[in-house]
Amino acid sequence: MGCVDRWSVVTVCRGGDLILVRRHTFGTRCIEDYKRGADGRSCQPLSEVCTEGVDCGDTVDIPANQTVFGDLFYGYNNHTKEITSGQILKASFRQKNFARGIEQQLPDGMVVASVPNEAQCHEELSDPVPDPEYLTGMVNYSEVTGYPLVQHWKLRSIMYHVKLNQWTLSQAFSSAVHSLDGATLRSDFVSILKEFGNHFIQEAAYGFEESCTIWYPNKQVQRQLWLEYQDISKGNSPSDESEERDKEPRTLTYPAYIASLLDSGAKRMAAGVRMDCSSQGQCPLSCHLCHMSPGPARPAEPVLLNITKATPVYELVNSNETYQALQEAMMSVLWCSAKGDVIDDWCRCDSNAFGTDGLPTCAPLPQPMLKLSHSYEPSSSLVIIEWNHAEPPIGVRIVDYLISQEKVTERTDHSKVETETMLSFVDDIMSGAKSPCVMLGDIPDPLSTISLIIRCLEPDTTYMFRLWAVDNTGRRSSPSEVTIKTPCPAVDDVKAQEIADKIYNLFNGYTSGKEQQTAYNTLMDLGSPTLHRVLYHYNQRYESFGEFTWRCEDELGPRKAGLILSQLDELSGWCRGLLQEPKIGLRRASLKYLSCRYTDTKAFGLSWMNLGHDLRKACEDQMLSVMYNDYGEPKEL
């Protein structure tokens, strides 16, 4: 170890010899294999072997943001997946450390593997699905155009795989940890975790990423644009006879095609198509799939794309007591809101973490997100609602879900909500006890979606559905809700046209009392939607013989005609308008559901992991026929 003289000569002990080092006016300099100590006056042996030509004197912390791949020296929150502001590891440059394709010197202990250019670019385009914003909350669904759609495009270019083989703690993190011990309050450990995160990064992938989100007003627009793009993109690459055959072909990506239409001001774009793109890093020149401009020729700037290996920060602590206390504090932050301790798989809340109802509040109860199914659109009498069963592994045990169905009657001054039903998922639906209008859409898997089919709904009516999760303490989560107006009543237009012909034949020529009664009975049994279409087809074909309303009054008399025609006012103005379309198609869809025999679920207890097995013993697959109307001819763009 170094021996320090406070005056002009520093005496250093090495192997029994005395070595004199002259003190300069700006401070102490140490001989080879020694470095200046933290006090600025002593010389201490270097733990690493210095590479020739590298200054191994002062080893102050170097800000990680001044180094290439500097993210690896900062903390990482494995729960939020974000890099924290606190620097955990030190970036030192005592060794000559370089990697192919990188001009800057790498910090000590960092290993970088570059990815060949031909293996870098990977393009992904998702299937168009209903925009999630239209599946939750107040759903603005149209039976004419369906849901607005959304599609995601992503281009990822992984350029480097980076890992740390060795590391040294930063001064800030080392000081913070050394101030703690087993007797320190949990709140002090929590503050450390908030600043530095709960993990540090050992391996990560760097490169470039670009993503675009494209919104469409309906599926017809999306389908037409995609077909046009496929036709155009087939001719992207130059032919062998082309003068440009020696040039690198520029691939026309789908976002680039959408952008060209937006730039040209195409009318279809003004109808509701829009696109939003963003990028991380600089697109490498070797990647010909980039939609956004690659910019001037300059080295690509790799950014952190994903972390492949992260280690808890308590692994950096030597003291057993501090190690255990930091580990317990981390578990408390992750699962108990830092207001309780994790015991096995539950939270023991602090005395101040109880609500006014006496129930513990430290373990947050997740809110299930209720949404409409994107696979099956609502019909006039049926909707399918879904949610994901998300139960944290520690702290909360969800034992049931409550589902409410309410019919909303709109008024001019306010909305009146009429409560209709409240069901327990376990007692009423899963057991098959008393839910003739609510059925399971499929056997739930612990990692997939729970789907409910709700029938017996009235057409053209607004309904609100709410969902709560219930845990084993009796707590309810915040509700999640979906409000939707069911489509207009389904109508068989072919049948309506046949009835229009039948009424014409009954009214044509001399009409006997029997024929008049037959016409009256036929029209009274139709219902409002079909009557609208009978009137439409009658007037389209036979108005020259006499308009339908006038012929009814003439043949049946004002009283009977009034009873028939009064049914036309039972529909809303929106539905009456749709029933004036020149053509209405009737589409039939088959929907699978579970028909469950009654079982006492409480007798064996609820186990979400075994739920599918239990349901298979008590339920069987059935098919349900659902009717939809398609209004008007398909509209070309």
Side-chain angles (χ1 to χ4, degrees):
M1 59 185 292
C3 303
V4 180
D5 192 330
R6 295 178 57 87
W7 302 100
S8 59
V9 176
V10 178
T11 305
V12 181
C13 304
R14 179 201 268 183
D17 298 328
L18 293 180
I19 302 167
L20 301 182
V21 180
R22 179 172 296 175
R23 178 193 292 270
H24 295 268
T25 56
F26 56 80
T28 303
R29 284 184 62 87
C30 300
I31 64 173
E32 185 181 0
D33 295 340
Y34 280 76
K35 65 180 180 179
R36 188 170 62 175
D39 58 3
R41 295 180 291 113
S42 63
C43 291
Q44 300 173 349
L46 290 175
S47 58
E48 300 88 2
V49 178
C50 293
T51 305
E52 184 179 356
V54 178
D55 184 8
C56 295
D58 299 338
T59 57
V60 297
D61 285 0
I62 299 175
N65 57 10
Q66 297 178 12
T67 70
V68 64
F69 307 121
D71 307 84
L72 269 68
F73 297 93
Y74 286 97
Y76 173 63
N77 191 318
N78 200 36
H79 197 62
T80 62
K81 308 300 181 184
E82 295 178 350
I83 302 295
T84 62
S85 60
Q87 182 178 339
I88 290 183
L89 306 178
K90 180 189 299 184
S92 58
F93 294 85
R94 298 195 187 104
Q95 305 169 1
K96 286 186 176 180
N97 188 12
F98 292 91
R100 181 170 59 86
I102 302 176
E103 296 180 359
Q104 303 97 317
Q105 181 181 351
L106 300 173
D108 300 340
M110 180 177 287
V111 180
V112 177
S114 58
V115 179
N117 290 342
E118 60 272 14
Q120 286 185 8
C121 291
H122 296 279
E123 179 188 25
E124 295 179 4
L125 180 65
S126 70
D127 293 329
V129 296
D131 190 343
E133 293 185 4
Y134 289 86
L135 301 179
T136 60
M138 181 65 198
V139 179
N140 186 17
Y141 171 74
S142 170
E143 57 261 62
V144 179
T145 60
Y147 292 120
L149 300 182
V150 65
Q151 198 168 17
H152 301 284
W153 177 85
K154 178 181 287 188
L155 174 65
R156 173 169 281 200
S157 174
I158 296 180
M159 303 163 62
Y160 303 101
H161 292 282
V162 185
K163 68 177 180 179
L164 286 177
N165 277 343
Q166 62 187 49
W167 50 82
T168 307
L169 299 185
S170 69
Q171 186 63 42
F173 181 73
S174 182
S175 299
V177 172
H178 287 161
S179 66
L180 305 174
D181 56 37
T184 307
L185 295 176
R186 187 203 302 139
S187 58
D188 294 329
F189 285 96
V190 169
S191 63
I192 297 277
L193 294 171
K194 287 183 178 179
E195 179 181 358
F196 295 100
N198 50 43
H199 283 67
F200 68 98
I201 307 168
Q202 287 190 259
E203 298 180 14
Y206 278 78
F208 163 80
E209 184 175 274
E210 181 183 0
S211 60
C212 295
T213 302
I214 310 168
W215 290 270
Y216 310 92
N218 53 63
K219 55 188 175 184
Q220 288 85 1
V221 172
Q222 189 280 330
R223 186 182 301 114
Q224 184 69 23
L225 289 175
W226 177 247
L227 292 175
E228 290 181 3
Y229 165 72
Q230 287 183 312
D231 290 339
I232 295 173
S233 61
K234 291 177 182 178
N236 282 336
S237 301
S239 63
D240 293 339
E241 294 77 16
S242 171
E243 296 180 358
E244 299 183 354
R245 62 181 177 272
D246 295 330
K247 295 184 179 180
E248 178 71 23
R250 185 73 181 175
T251 302
L252 177 67
T253 61
Y254 189 56
Y257 171 67
I258 297 295
S260 67
L261 294 178
L262 291 169
D263 294 340
S264 66
K267 289 184 179 180
R268 75 190 76 182
M269 299 295 111
V273 178
R274 58 189 177 93
M275 181 172 67
D276 182 28
C277 296
S278 62
S279 64
Q280 299 183 68
Q282 176 73 14
C283 180
L285 297 177
S286 60
C287 184
H288 59 282
L289 295 172
C290 298
H291 158 60
M292 304 179 78
S293 173
R298 61 186 178 91
E301 300 173 358
V303 297
L304 178 63
L305 295 182
N306 64 285
I307 295 168
T308 53
K309 183 179 181 181
T311 305
V313 294
Y314 52 75
E315 296 291 345
L316 298 171
V317 177
N318 293 325
S319 168
N320 288 339
E321 290 185 353
T322 307
Y323 179 102
Q324 183 177 355
L326 189 59
Q327 184 183 43
E328 292 174 353
M330 181 189 299
M331 297 292 286
S332 178
V333 170
L334 290 177
W335 308 113
C336 309
S337 306
K339 298 179 181 179
D341 295 319
V342 173
I343 308 296
D344 294 329
D345 62 350
W346 60 279
C347 285
R348 182 178 62 192
C349 296
D350 297 339
S351 58
N352 59 351
F354 286 81
T356 56
D357 54 4
L359 296 178
T361 60
C362 68
L365 179 57
Q367 178 190 28
M369 295 306 299
L370 188 65
K371 62 181 180 180
L372 288 182
S373 168
H374 71 267
S375 302
Y376 296 94
E377 295 185 338
S379 76
S380 57
S381 62
L382 173 150
V383 299
I384 301 178
I385 58 176
E386 299 175 341
W387 71 91
N388 289 326
H389 171 66
E391 181 180 275
I394 296 175
V396 174
R397 285 290 172 267
I398 296 177
V399 297
D400 197 5
Y401 291 97
L402 299 179
I403 304 102
S404 75
Q405 173 186 321
E406 300 168 339
K407 184 167 67 174
V408 181
T409 304
E410 298 180 358
R411 302 290 180 90
T412 56
D413 53 344
H414 66 281
S415 294
K416 178 184 178 184
V417 178
E418 301 176 358
T419 302
E420 289 194 346
T421 182
M422 172 77 80
L423 296 176
S424 160
F425 176 74
V426 173
D427 295 336
D428 301 328
I429 299 171
M430 196 184 76
S431 68
K434 52 176 181 178
S435 53
C437 294
V438 183
M439 305 169 295
L440 277 171
D442 201 350
I443 294 179
D445 184 275
L447 302 179
S448 68
T449 300
I450 296 176
S451 177
L452 287 188
I453 301 173
I454 301 182
R455 304 195 306 170
C456 314
L457 303 180
E458 299 177 14
D460 195 28
T461 303
T462 301
Y463 288 91
M464 176 188 292
F465 304 96
R466 281 198 179 109
L467 177 71
W468 295 264
V470 182
D471 74 354
N472 56 347
T473 68
R475 284 188 305 167
R476 289 191 188 183
S477 68
S478 300
S480 175
E481 63 184 43
V482 168
T483 302
I484 183 173
K485 190 170 187 178
T486 52
C488 296
V491 60
D492 187 343
D493 202 38
V494 174
K495 178 181 177 182
Q497 189 169 325
E498 294 173 352
I499 293 175
D501 295 337
K502 176 182 177 180
I503 297 300
Y504 168 75
N505 291 329
L506 289 173
F507 285 170
N508 190 20
Y510 173 78
T511 306
S512 65
K514 181 179 179 181
E515 291 172 327
Q516 290 176 347
Q517 188 64 37
T518 299
Y520 173 76
N521 292 340
T522 301
L523 294 175
M524 284 297 293
D525 292 339
L526 292 181
S528 181
T530 305
L531 182 61
H532 271 278
R533 292 305 290 174
V534 169
L535 183 150
Y536 174 85
H537 288 299
Y538 188 98
N539 288 339
Q540 287 289 316
R541 294 190 174 195
Y542 311 115
E543 190 171 16
S544 59
F545 174 70
E547 194 271 335
F548 179 79
T549 302
W550 176 81
R551 288 296 298 160
C552 285
E553 292 180 347
D554 183 59
E555 294 291 342
L556 305 178
R559 188 183 67 83
K560 288 186 175 181
L563 291 175
I564 295 171
L565 299 176
S566 63
Q567 298 178 83
L568 297 174
D569 297 328
E570 295 176 1
L571 294 180
S572 66
W574 165 253
C575 292
R576 290 198 298 268
L578 286 181
L579 290 173
Q580 297 304 308
E581 288 285 340
K583 184 176 180 180
I584 300 178
L586 185 64
R587 175 167 44 94
R588 185 188 303 271
S590 295
L591 181 62
K592 186 176 75 171
Y593 71 96
L594 293 181
S595 176
C596 300
R597 300 179 300 276
Y598 174 74
T599 55
D600 187 359
T601 55
K602 292 183 178 180
F604 54 82
L606 176 64
S607 171
W608 293 106
M609 294 302 296
N610 299 324
L611 181 59
H613 176 72
D614 295 333
L615 287 175
R616 284 185 177 90
K617 295 189 298 183
C619 306
E620 58 183 11
D621 290 338
Q622 298 282 349
M623 299 303 294
L624 180 66
S625 180
V626 186
M627 311 302 294
Y628 296 92
N629 276 143
D630 295 322
Y631 296 93
E633 299 287 350
K635 296 180 176 59
E636 296 294 333
L637 296 176

